[in-house]
Amino acid sequence: MGAGKTTVGKLLARRLYRDFIDIDEEIEKAFGLPIPEIFSVHGEKAFRDKERELIEYHGSQPLLVISVGGGAFLREENRNHCLANCTVLYFDISWDSWKERIHVLTETRPLLKDKTLQEMEQLFRERQSIYAANHSEFQVDDFEALEAAEYLADSLKLSWDIHAPQA
Ligand SMILES: Nc1ncnc2c1ncn2[C@@H]1O[C@H](COP(=O)(O)OP(=O)(O)OP(=O)(O)O)[C@@H](O)[C@H]1O
Ligand SMILES: O=C(O)C1=C[C@@H](O)[C@@H](O)[C@H](O)C1
Ligand SMILES: [Mg+2]
């Protein structure tokens, strides 16, 4: 959560000439409400069910850059679907860097609401293992968003050049 998937994903899509889909934004459109209100009015389960449905749909479309929400991989079906149909990039951020971002995250991320710093650290650390379900890890700490997008675009292009089927 808050590692930069939406910010960098949007920039990366532009560099790869791909359309960009942000699953959180699609969920908000589906409910016609911002995320904190979806959680308070409909509950987290309704949010997660819609997230599941939209990941299944968009994650099956070709040639997209998709940003999922920070909790999407808590569900095994989401992990399996993305791993089977997409190239999954994990944005790894250290606790020290993440701590600096808390102030911009708390208003819009209901799971951080009313949590102490210690409780946030616990949530941050207990989630690390689920993010091991990926195809490639990217350490975001030392990159500005634009640099991160450029680095990822170059890496993906290089990997496509190396692995492209021979004509
Ligand atoms: N590389 C970066 N360096 C500094 N700040 C960044 C960077 N990437 C994103 N940010 C800032 O961090 C905040 C969270 O970024 P963003 O919303 O892209 O995260 P996210 O991974 O999509 O989060 P979520 O999992 O909640 O969807 C934003 O305020 C954004 O401007
Ligand atoms: O990490 C999470 O569980 C979440 C992250 C956000 O992207 C949103 O999907 C929502 O606030 C939940
Ligand atoms: Mg996001």
Side-chain angles (χ1 to χ4, degrees):
M1 186 197 302
K5 302 177 297 296
T6 298
T7 311
V8 175
K10 214 174 273 179
L11 297 167
L12 175 63
R14 209 174 297 156
R15 264 158 194 73
L16 297 176
Y17 303 99
R18 300 286 169 95
D19 287 330
F20 175 72
I21 295 285
D22 185 74
I23 297 294
D24 282 338
E25 203 179 306
E26 296 301 313
I27 299 169
E28 289 181 325
K29 279 194 232 160
F31 282 97
L33 289 171
I35 289 176
E37 272 81 279
I38 300 173
F39 270 65
S40 62
V41 175
H42 299 281
E44 182 172 355
K45 182 171 185 305
F47 175 89
R48 296 294 176 200
D49 288 347
K50 184 57 75 181
E51 180 175 57
R52 163 86 201 102
E53 188 187 313
L54 289 165
I55 287 176
E56 170 110 26
Y57 174 70
H58 292 289
S60 304
Q61 308 298 312
L63 305 178
L64 294 174
V65 173
I66 301 172
S67 166
V68 297
F73 268 34
L74 293 168
R75 283 209 182 170
E76 190 183 7
E77 318 116 90
N78 291 338
R79 299 197 295 271
N80 290 343
H81 185 83
C82 291
L83 286 170
N85 294 280
C86 311
T87 300
V88 178
L89 304 179
Y90 164 42
F91 283 28
D92 185 14
I93 189 168
S94 68
W95 167 249
D96 284 339
S97 296
W98 192 79
K99 254 192 323 194
E100 304 298 316
R101 293 195 192 171
I102 289 175
H103 66 286
V104 294
L105 303 177
T106 43
E107 277 296 298
T108 47
R109 273 67 171 190
L111 291 185
L112 299 182
K113 200 168 160 251
D114 303 328
K115 278 202 169 51
T116 63
L117 187 64
Q118 204 180 7
E119 287 165 338
M120 289 187 205
E121 181 168 8
Q122 193 185 338
L123 179 79
F124 179 93
R125 298 204 185 280
E126 71 193 15
R127 283 180 163 193
Q128 296 303 304
S129 62
I130 61 156
Y131 300 136
N134 66 67
H135 293 114
S136 190
E137 304 195 358
F138 172 57
Q139 227 301 328
V140 298
D141 283 19
D142 299 326
F143 289 88
E144 289 301 321
L146 202 57
E147 289 174 331
E150 277 162 7
Y151 174 84
L152 289 171
D154 288 347
S155 306
L156 285 166
K157 284 176 188 163
L158 180 66
S159 149
W160 290 333
D161 286 347
I162 293 170
H163 298 292
Q166 300 302 310

